Amino acid sequence: MEYNYRAIEKKWQKEWRDSGAYKVSNSSDKPKFYVLDMFPYPSGAGLHVGHPLGYIASDIYARFKRLKGYNVLHPMGFDSFGLPAEQYALETGQHPALTTEKNINRYKEQLDNIGFCYDWSREVRTSDPGYYKWTQWFFLQLFDSWYNRKNQKAERIKDLVDIFKAEGNTNSECPGDKKLRFTAEEWNGFDNQRQQEILMDYRLAFSAFGEVNWCEALGTVLANDEVVNGVSERGGHIVVKKKMRQWYLRITEYADRLLQGLEQVDFSDSMKEMQRNWIGKSMGAEISFRLTPGPSPHGEGIRDTSEEMSGHFFKSGNQKFWKTLKEYGRDNRKNATQSEDLLWQNLRNNQLDIKVRRQHAINGFIADFALMEIKLVIEIDGDYHNEQEQQEYDEARTKYLHEFGFDILRFTNTEVLEQTQSVVGTIKKEVQTRRQIKREAAASPLLRKEKGSGDEATLVVYTTRPDTIFGVDFMVIAPEHALVPKITSQEQKPAIDKYLDYVKSRSERERLAEVKSITGAFTGAYAINPFNGRQIPIWISEYVLAGYGTGAIMAVPCGDQRDFAFAKHFDIPITNIIGDAYNGEEANPTKDATLQNSDFLDGKVMRDAIDIAIDKLEEMGIGKRQVNYRMRDAGFSRQRYWGEPFPIVYKGGVAFALDESQLPVELPYVDTYSAGPEGEGPLANLADWIIAPGGGTRETNTMPGYAGSSWYFLRYMDPHNEAVFADRKATDYWSQVDLYIGGTEHAVGHLLYSRLWTKVLFDLGYIGFEEPYKKLVNQGMIGSFIKNIYRLNFNYKIGDGSGMVNVNQFIEEFGVHPEHYKADIPNIFISKEIAGRIDSNSINEKDKRLIDEAIEKAMKIKENIAGTLFFDKYKITGIPVETFLVEDDKLVIESFKVHSRLGNQNSIFVSSCNTFHCGSELGKMSKRYYNVVNPDDIVERFGADTFRMYEMFLGPVEQSKPWDTKGIEGVHRFLRKFWRLFADETKGLIVTNDAATPAELKVLHRTIKKIEEDTERFSFNTAVSAFMVCVNELNDLKCHKKEVLQSLLVLITPYSPHIAEELWKLLGNEGSVLDASFPKFEEKYLVESSKEYPISINGKHRTNINIALDAIQPVVEQIVLSNEVVQKWLDGKAPKKIIFVKGKMINVVI
RNA sequence: GCCCGGGUGGCGGAAUUGGUAGACGCAGCAGACUCAAAAUCUGCCGUUCGCAAGGAUGUGCUGGUUCGAUUCCAGUCCCGGGCACCA
């Protein structure tokens, strides 16, 4: 009875399919376990051996959990919307629906060959209308939600509208347009269109104008991947930025929760780190700097900061006036009005649990009362000015205080005098609300300022190092910064304009490419250091990005390398604030130096000074703690065909959601895939479809690839439900994915988006959990060697040789690319050794002679073929050669001539020895390297069980490693050996019912323990090796006992299910081994009475002695010392010390 | 540049808390069976000295802690992955 794996595997795969062995129920007494693979995009190339690595790992784990008594959900599906199918359609005219269907069928066939335990009845495809109906539905939920920062969760738009009706947006900042402020009255006065526009600035799915890569020549928008060095990857056409209306997901609102959620999930450190980097949270401060006057090109300039105005309205940028101001405040306090005094009596001494200052100077103003902590000013409108004048002052003052983040509460004299308690109550309430907001703001992206903004009088910078404020030698703002035209001085205008032209001429790619070049221009304007009044020049430079922070930085050259380089390049004097820690040669970004030349921070360690500095800035009202995120809102529309249509119609320019009952919006059939008239997606060409039945025009963008994959794990739970995306009972039962396996390439994209969707669904009450994936395991890539052959460069002239052939002409003439040209051109191939010498310019005479001879030979052959041939002497090109034509880096020349796309009978090989070597380097498995190994071939040769075990045996799942088909023999031999424990070729089944010996039981239970532990911690490679050890030992013991073997069979089922099932049946068992229960490990079989102790002398292992495990130290010492090896090493001396670690080892120190 | 991994035989890799480094497999060498091949089985297999017994040395490199370090600490080099004028 032979191990006929082909027959066995086919038989059981059919059996499992017919009996529905892997069908999973949503109701079970067993505990649930959800094992999920990242579903594949079904590409035309099919699977290669790298793909199933993760699938095998998850399959093993799923089967293991099933044996352990869990109800296991282990589904599979297809991420079937995507660009490649559309690209293919564009090239061949085949509809993506057809090619996708074809590819999926091939994938399923390949997957079934490997024997996975998927419940195919739960298969999902993102391109199915029954599936994307719900993707569209999710989009509508996002569209109909906003993020309530107070409650830190998504809420419905109608609740937001209620708030606006009642109080406007005074208590919540608008995330879309941070400057937008309106009252309830104003809101109610807006027309519907205006209201919808405002709501769009709050929606979690919103539309806005964004830049896309527009390629005029191709008439389409390109993904970032498709753009290389500013031109299209295909064809090399110019690509420009074009503004288009796009959909976005407001993921930035969830930045903090996405960050915090990482604490609750079991992802690898590097994975978490990648997500943290992506979110890019940094803590720092925003600091407002006053500007000194600089004559503007328009002659307006900035208002003179030393200007003094009448009344108690002051503006001052320098200390002299600050002082004057303070004196003025003191005077006012002495001459307070009656109402001021009355209110003061009610506010002083922390009566409202907050410190209130009276007649306090804030940035050039004297406020009647100032509550610095919450940035609130209380003013009592007196009656000693005429009304007109008073209003002007108030207006100006309000404006300026707003600029510094203060709000003003106004009361009249009469109010204060007559309704004192009501006034105090109002203040009290305001204090509470503002404190609450402040708390939230500290924990959310709320406080982010509008990018690139700034106002005329101040420059707001973001810094993580406010402690270095005395080391600021210049400011740098982004060239796109709104302040640039306003502050540029007359003299500097030409230089700035020139620089701006230069920046415009550079594509984003270029700006990013030349990281180290230093460019910039001086604006002629100065900012004022608020602490020492120093004038700081303001520069612009492309190294400061408009999109991050405030688009402006304070440059501290002694502490930041880029700032340092900039200062050196433009000869800006450098202030040293860290003494010896700065050597003048390079910046020192330390946080541990002690500050000098830093006024009130002198002597402080920088790390501690950060908080002190911010406190001071806050107290002065010119700075605040600020959290910044690198993450941007996620673009959610594509100008493509093969994706989910949006359930959106436009009426009068306003986007409206379709009603749920109108879903799905099915993707209409098209026969051309070219872009719409304005570069929209192909859907824009369908004049009929665009007109929506209920009026209005449809959105012609489609959703991106990650739309469908953001929630697919939920659909598996209840895949055929037509009423909801999944029944709440089903999502409550299956809940989080317990184990998610997939590649690192989705670390930030897919994982972040699906975490976002899950959080939104949770907030809206649709599901009961907030994180989709409890544990994530990343499988490594399986690489493959790329074998390179080196060809002597040549040119081939057609016909009479009147012109050299360029590639396009060649293709026209011969119908193939020259590289694939199989005709009789006598190509000359150079062996790796000589090629290496050519590359390193150390080519010797012999090499030259060999090559010259080859050329001569080629020329002779050439006489028989048309055209003219030229060789480029001693210049070579490495070309990937089909790996199956190379053995141990040696080219199989005869096969090459026949089977390679590069070879023909005239091929000439130049080598300095008998064999012809190719180059070899580790790389990706890819069609274009001709190194793809197809799992079907491996399964055909060795069987699915061997393939599964070998993939696991290669090394840890998480690790990347090269594929080597040779090694698979070992695993195959192991399975045959395993089979022979049960059956003999001639005698048939040889399993006996004899009782197992202690030695056999020991082997078995040691294996049970090892397999259980290793499987549980995803150490599948060591588990396979444990099986090998076990089989070797049972073989040595000649053990064929059912008692032992049957348990072993269950153990190995997850790894090699087919052979296990077959032998299970042969042993006469009823039912399937899939439903057996995992053998129970029993310690008692492993208990030993003695141990072969390793004996070390001075830490070096010398011998082993068998000693009883319960022996106590004195006895052990005696035994050890009497040992002859130990005696020899002691050489008559007495040991200094004997270290005895019970059950481990003994070390004698001499 | 920053962040995260990782460096162990000819190769893939093992050593779970500091305790016999190199499990298991591949490749290689020697042998058995065979007319032969395949298949199978046995032995050897880090380097080095030695006929052997046995010794020296050895986990990228340099130091340190320890009775004892692949494992812990400091520094350094190299490789892989991610991010990148991010203030």
Side-chain angles (χ1 to χ4, degrees):
Chain A
M1 201 190 291
E2 263 181 86
Y3 171 38
N4 187 348
Y5 51 88
R6 284 197 192 91
I8 291 171
E9 288 173 2
K10 279 282 156 292
K11 172 180 147 195
W12 284 107
Q13 282 168 12
K14 182 174 183 302
E15 182 76 26
W16 291 330
R17 202 167 35 240
D18 293 349
S19 67
Y22 299 123
K23 219 161 158 24
V24 183
S25 164
N26 275 4
S27 56
S28 168
D29 303 337
K30 298 175 185 171
K32 72 97 191 183
F33 203 89
Y34 188 177
V35 180
L36 182 68
D37 291 288
M38 289 185 186
F39 62 167
Y41 172 78
S43 86
L47 293 171
H48 63 64
V49 292
H51 294 119
L53 183 72
Y55 303 154
I56 296 170
S58 65
D59 195 67
I60 289 172
Y61 201 77
R63 289 171 183 274
F64 171 70
K65 281 288 170 184
R66 177 167 172 173
L67 293 173
K68 289 288 242 173
Y70 288 83
N71 186 28
V72 180
L73 179 58
H74 185 218
M76 183 47 92
F78 299 93
D79 191 9
S80 46
F81 270 137
L83 202 50
E86 186 165 343
Q87 194 62 42
Y88 190 71
L90 209 51
E91 286 163 15
T92 66
Q94 288 201 55
H95 198 276
L98 291 176
T99 48
T100 302
E101 171 84 23
K102 211 172 86 193
N103 292 345
I104 287 178
N105 289 338
R106 176 154 152 71
Y107 265 63
K108 285 178 79 168
E109 209 174 290
Q110 285 188 301
L111 291 170
D112 281 339
N113 265 341
I114 303 169
F116 292 124
C117 63
Y118 303 130
D119 178 357
W120 281 119
S121 72
R122 290 177 184 256
E123 177 191 341
V124 303
R125 299 179 184 189
T126 55
S127 61
D128 255 10
Y131 181 89
Y132 67 66
K133 170 184 178 180
W134 298 108
T135 310
Q136 291 170 340
W137 180 86
F138 280 122
F139 174 80
L140 291 184
Q141 307 314 307
L142 290 160
F143 182 73
D144 189 42
S145 306
W146 65 295
Y147 194 76
N148 185 336
R149 292 170 180 175
K150 239 180 236 170
N151 301 339
Q152 283 286 302
K153 61 183 281 230
E155 290 174 10
R156 290 298 182 179
I157 287 289
K158 70 169 167 42
D159 300 330
L160 180 67
V161 172
D162 288 344
I163 294 173
F164 286 170
K165 278 183 189 158
E167 53 184 57
N169 75 344
T170 39
N171 288 322
S172 74
E173 200 175 334
C174 173
D177 179 358
K178 293 186 172 65
K179 288 183 168 166
L180 186 68
R181 288 276 165 204
F182 51 84
T183 61
E185 292 74 46
E186 283 169 323
W187 170 261
N188 294 323
F190 293 146
D191 62 12
N192 183 44
Q193 172 146 357
R194 179 82 185 107
Q195 288 184 343
Q196 289 301 326
E197 275 168 17
I198 291 169
L199 290 177
M200 193 60 97
D201 285 336
Y202 287 82
R203 295 179 190 275
L204 288 182
F206 65 100
S207 80
F209 279 96
E211 286 186 336
V212 294
N213 301 308
W214 169 249
C215 182
E216 187 67 47
L218 296 175
T220 181
V221 172
L222 299 175
N224 282 332
D225 285 356
E226 298 175 291
V227 185
V228 180
N229 296 325
V231 297
S232 65
E233 194 185 19
R234 285 166 211 268
H237 304 293
I238 296 278
V239 175
V240 294
K241 293 271 172 208
K242 182 175 178 179
K243 284 227 171 193
M244 273 188 162
R245 187 158 272 282
Q246 305 263 51
W247 287 94
Y248 293 89
L249 299 189
R250 213 178 289 283
I251 192 171
T252 48
E253 292 286 301
Y254 277 86
D256 240 10
R257 276 175 64 190
L258 288 169
L259 209 52
Q260 283 160 18
L262 288 175
E263 309 295 326
Q264 302 155 24
V265 293
D266 185 5
F267 295 3
S268 71
D269 288 345
S270 66
M271 188 64 44
K272 287 186 180 180
E273 200 58 30
M274 267 188 243
Q275 294 207 3
R276 283 193 199 106
N277 281 343
W278 187 261
I279 295 167
K281 182 176 185 169
S282 74
M283 315 262 210
E286 246 176 43
I287 306 175
S288 303
F289 289 87
R290 310 300 313 280
L291 305 181
T292 59
S296 96
H298 314 293
E300 288 168 4
I302 296 166
R303 272 158 292 186
D304 191 334
T305 50
S306 59
E307 181 185 5
E308 185 179 347
M309 294 175 87
S310 58
H312 46 184
F313 181 92
F314 274 86
K315 279 180 60 55
S316 173
N318 70 37
Q319 292 198 311
K320 199 178 97 196
F321 281 95
W322 186 252
K323 216 166 152 191
T324 319
L325 206 59
K326 280 186 170 168
E327 279 161 16
Y328 195 96
R330 217 169 305 150
D331 280 353
N332 275 354
R333 281 198 285 277
K334 285 184 202 141
N335 306 318
T337 63
Q338 191 195 350
S339 53
E340 283 171 356
D341 257 341
L342 179 62
L343 194 55
W344 179 237
Q345 294 315 317
N346 282 286
L347 299 179
R348 63 186 302 191
N349 295 334
N350 279 327
Q351 284 182 62
L352 296 188
D353 197 26
I354 188 164
K355 181 159 176 106
V356 180
R357 293 165 198 271
R358 185 182 183 198
Q359 294 298 333
H360 189 68
I362 299 170
N363 263 80
F365 300 93
I366 296 289
D368 288 344
F369 298 94
L371 290 71
M372 300 305 286
E373 185 199 316
I374 54 166
K375 295 201 132 185
L376 183 70
V377 167
I378 299 165
E379 292 280 86
I380 300 173
D381 298 337
D383 44 10
Y384 46 85
H385 290 296
N386 76 52
E387 210 167 297
Q388 173 87 33
E389 213 182 325
Q390 178 71 46
Q391 271 175 9
E392 274 171 28
Y393 288 142
D394 287 350
E395 215 171 276
R397 200 194 329 223
T398 306
K399 185 158 179 272
Y400 275 88
L401 285 171
H402 271 313
E403 278 166 12
F404 295 107
F406 283 86
D407 274 336
I408 300 179
L409 220 50
R410 279 181 197 289
F411 301 99
T412 60
N413 266 328
T414 338
E415 272 179 313
V416 175
L417 294 173
E418 290 173 10
Q419 307 162 35
T420 319
Q421 283 323 303
S422 149
V423 166
V424 171
T426 309
I427 297 171
K428 202 167 179 174
K429 199 173 150 226
E430 188 66 19
V431 169
Q432 281 164 357
T433 340
R434 295 179 73 89
R435 271 196 172 144
Q436 171 72 15
I437 292 173
K438 200 181 160 197
R439 263 198 301 278
E440 284 156 14
S444 82
L446 173 80
L447 282 176
R448 253 183 290 176
K449 270 232 165 179
E450 180 63 9
K451 309 299 170 257
S453 78
D455 47 61
E456 289 176 39
T458 59
L459 171 65
V460 182
V461 305
Y462 173 73
T463 180
T464 53
R465 297 296 301 273
D467 54 309
T468 61
I469 186 128
F470 289 94
V472 178
D473 289 318
F474 56 101
M475 299 286 181
V476 188
I477 63 182
E480 300 87 346
H481 199 284
L483 213 48
V484 174
K486 294 178 186 154
I487 61 169
T488 303
S489 71
Q490 208 79 55
E491 306 87 78
Q492 289 303 117
K493 192 170 186 304
I496 291 289
D497 285 348
K498 199 173 147 207
Y499 187 70
L500 290 176
D501 278 347
Y502 156 79
V503 171
K504 270 187 211 127
S505 76
R506 285 157 60 76
S507 70
E508 197 167 326
R509 291 269 165 183
E510 281 174 320
R511 279 177 68 174
L512 295 178
E514 293 165 48
V515 169
K516 293 297 160 220
S517 69
I518 299 164
T519 62
F522 177 45
T523 60
Y526 293 86
I528 295 159
N529 189 321
F531 293 116
N532 58 12
R534 221 179 103 192
Q535 293 207 336
I536 308 165
I538 302 172
W539 290 67
I540 62 173
S541 175
E542 57 182 347
Y543 85 86
V544 173
L545 306 175
Y548 183 78
T550 61
I553 63 159
M554 52 179 235
V556 182
C558 75
D560 182 284
Q561 194 50 43
R562 271 167 322 167
D563 298 345
F564 178 84
F566 194 90
K568 283 285 175 201
H569 189 260
F570 289 108
D571 260 335
I572 303 169
I574 295 172
T575 310
N576 179 16
I577 50 165
I578 46 175
D580 294 342
Y582 170 68
N583 61 12
E585 298 294 317
E586 57 180 1
N588 184 351
T590 178
K591 280 187 187 172
D592 297 314
T594 304
L595 285 161
Q596 306 179 2
N597 295 331
S598 294
D599 195 330
F600 67 96
L601 295 174
D602 272 350
K604 301 271 195 310
V605 174
M606 298 174 105
R607 200 176 289 283
D608 308 327
I610 293 175
D611 272 333
I612 301 171
I614 302 179
D615 287 344
K616 184 87 173 180
L617 288 163
E618 286 189 335
E619 192 187 309
M620 290 167 68
I622 52 168
K624 60 186 176 191
R625 281 192 171 69
Q626 177 67 51
V627 175
N628 248 319
Y629 298 88
R630 203 169 69 86
M631 185 166 66
R632 302 275 84 99
D633 284 327
F636 196 69
S637 47
R638 301 289 183 262
Q639 292 69 43
R640 297 286 174 188
Y641 169 69
W642 194 232
E644 300 87 347
F646 281 87
I648 291 285
V649 291
Y650 292 95
K651 293 178 188 167
V654 178
F656 288 96
L658 287 176
D659 190 74
E660 205 182 310
S661 63
Q662 291 171 274
L663 301 184
V665 178
E666 287 208 34
L667 185 63
Y669 182 84
V670 293
D671 40 28
T672 61
Y673 307 90
S674 47
E678 298 296 320
E680 313 97 313
L683 292 180
N685 296 323
L686 303 175
D688 292 347
W689 180 80
I690 288 175
I691 312 296
T697 55
R698 294 186 189 273
E699 169 65 65
T700 57
N701 279 312
T702 52
M703 299 186 198
Y706 65 81
S709 60
S710 289
W711 71 279
Y712 74 115
F713 71 99
L714 292 168
R715 189 62 177 170
Y716 284 132
M717 298 172 179
D718 191 8
H720 306 294
N721 200 323
E722 289 180 12
V724 282
F725 64 90
D727 195 273
R728 182 66 194 257
K729 267 189 251 140
T731 59
D732 279 349
Y733 175 67
W734 291 111
S735 183
Q736 285 171 290
V737 173
D738 295 283
L739 172 66
Y740 194 28
I741 298 192
T744 347
E745 64 272 22
H746 299 112
V748 283
H750 159 66
L751 241 27
L752 222 44
Y753 298 132
S754 66
R755 290 183 59 218
L756 169 74
W757 285 46
T758 308
K759 284 180 191 302
V760 175
L761 286 177
F762 173 78
D763 286 354
L764 297 179
Y766 289 109
I767 53 175
F769 51 92
E770 206 180 333
E771 282 290 339
Y773 316 113
K774 223 188 225 168
K775 181 177 174 67
L776 174 74
V777 171
N778 291 112
Q779 91 254 25
M781 292 237 293
I782 291 196
S784 182
F785 286 97
I786 303 166
K787 304 294 178 184
N788 283 310
I789 191 165
Y790 304 93
R791 183 171 63 185
L792 198 66
N793 291 2
F794 70 98
N795 272 303
Y796 185 66
K797 285 187 192 176
I798 299 167
D800 61 359
S802 54
M804 289 310 250
V805 169
N806 72 27
V807 171
N808 290 334
Q809 279 175 326
F810 193 99
I811 292 172
E812 224 166 273
E813 184 83 13
F814 295 95
V816 291
H817 193 277
E819 196 180 287
H820 299 262
Y821 187 59
K822 283 278 292 191
D824 304 327
I825 296 176
N827 275 313
I828 298 173
F829 298 103
I830 311 287
S831 77
K832 181 183 152 192
E833 294 78 15
I834 300 177
R837 285 195 286 273
I838 292 176
D839 275 347
S840 60
N841 262 331
S842 56
I843 182 167
N844 59 37
E845 289 308 314
K846 189 187 164 200
D847 298 336
K848 283 185 182 174
R849 206 188 66 232
L850 286 170
I851 292 169
D852 292 343
E853 279 170 17
I855 292 175
E856 218 170 285
K857 199 168 146 197
M859 285 310 182
K860 252 187 213 137
I861 296 170
K862 183 233 101 194
E863 283 168 15
N864 301 321
I865 60 172
T868 324
L869 187 63
F870 289 93
F871 284 98
D872 206 347
K873 266 194 189 179
Y874 319 132
K875 288 215 173 115
I876 51 169
T877 308
I879 309 164
V881 64
E882 297 85 344
T883 17
F884 69 92
L885 300 171
V886 182
E887 270 174 20
D888 288 335
D889 290 358
K890 283 183 227 121
L891 186 72
V892 185
I893 289 177
E894 288 315 310
S895 298
F896 174 83
K897 285 180 176 173
V898 180
H899 297 295
S900 175
R901 70 195 193 284
L902 300 169
N904 58 42
Q905 288 303 323
N906 288 334
S907 301
I908 298 166
F909 300 89
V910 179
S911 174
S912 45
C913 57
N914 309 337
T915 49
F916 185 88
H917 288 267
C918 295
S920 179
E921 58 173 324
L922 195 56
K924 274 210 289 215
M925 220 175 256
S926 160
K927 245 177 161 176
R928 73 167 189 270
Y929 299 133
Y930 300 91
N931 62 352
V932 174
V933 183
N934 188 327
D936 295 346
D937 298 341
I938 304 295
V939 169
E940 174 59 26
R941 274 175 67 193
F942 301 99
D945 285 338
T946 300
F947 177 64
R948 292 167 63 103
M949 283 201 123
Y950 182 57
E951 286 244 341
M952 293 299 101
F953 187 60
L954 276 176
V957 217
E958 298 94 333
Q959 206 169 299
S960 288
K961 56 243 159 190
W963 175 265
D964 177 17
T965 305
K966 259 193 260 168
I968 201 170
E969 300 272 359
V971 175
H972 190 61
R973 273 198 277 270
F974 155 74
L975 279 177
R976 300 168 76 98
K977 221 181 206 176
F978 178 73
W979 177 269
R980 284 201 303 273
L981 285 177
F982 295 80
D984 186 277
E985 264 179 57
T986 49
K987 281 181 271 176
L989 204 64
I990 51 172
V991 177
T992 68
N993 283 319
D994 300 348
T997 64
E1000 289 162 349
L1001 286 171
K1002 192 166 154 187
V1003 170
L1004 175 67
H1005 282 267
R1006 205 167 48 209
T1007 308
I1008 294 174
K1009 183 166 191 257
K1010 178 85 177 145
I1011 297 302
E1012 190 168 350
E1013 285 171 359
D1014 285 358
T1015 308
E1016 198 59 77
R1017 67 189 173 100
F1018 309 101
S1019 180
F1020 304 117
N1021 56 326
T1022 53
V1024 174
S1025 109
F1027 281 124
M1028 290 174 170
V1029 171
C1030 172
V1031 167
N1032 286 344
E1033 285 172 348
L1034 291 180
N1035 210 31
D1036 290 346
L1037 292 168
K1038 300 202 166 38
C1039 170
H1040 301 289
K1041 292 165 184 162
K1042 187 172 176 180
E1043 187 185 348
V1044 174
L1045 295 182
Q1046 182 146 311
S1047 292
L1048 190 57
L1049 214 43
V1050 180
L1051 279 188
I1052 209 169
T1053 302
Y1055 292 81
S1056 54
H1058 309 86
I1059 193 175
E1061 191 80 290
E1062 176 73 10
L1063 289 169
W1064 182 259
K1065 185 94 182 175
L1066 282 177
L1067 288 187
N1069 290 295
E1070 285 300 311
S1072 165
V1073 68
L1074 305 173
D1075 294 312
S1077 64
F1078 202 82
K1080 200 176 173 313
F1081 164 66
E1082 290 190 61
E1083 186 75 48
K1084 66 180 179 197
Y1085 296 112
L1086 301 192
V1087 177
E1088 307 251 4
S1089 58
S1090 68
K1091 180 184 163 68
E1092 190 82 356
Y1093 274 96
I1095 311 297
S1096 294
I1097 314 281
N1098 285 340
K1100 281 204 172 72
H1101 175 234
R1102 295 299 176 189
T1103 188
N1104 293 329
I1105 307 175
N1106 198 299
I1107 301 172
L1109 269 170
D1110 54 8
I1112 51 166
Q1113 176 131 3
V1115 180
V1116 171
E1117 286 186 12
Q1118 203 188 347
I1119 296 169
V1120 169
L1121 289 177
S1122 62
N1123 178 280
E1124 75 183 89
V1125 177
V1126 177
Q1127 287 281 326
K1128 195 187 97 187
W1129 284 96
L1130 275 172
D1131 197 20
K1133 283 172 276 197
K1136 242 189 216 153
K1137 198 173 170 188
I1138 295 175
I1139 289 141
F1140 170 58
V1141 184
K1142 198 168 175 187
K1144 291 268 187 200
M1145 48 69 68
I1146 296 155
N1147 187 17
V1148 182
V1149 185
I1150 301 174

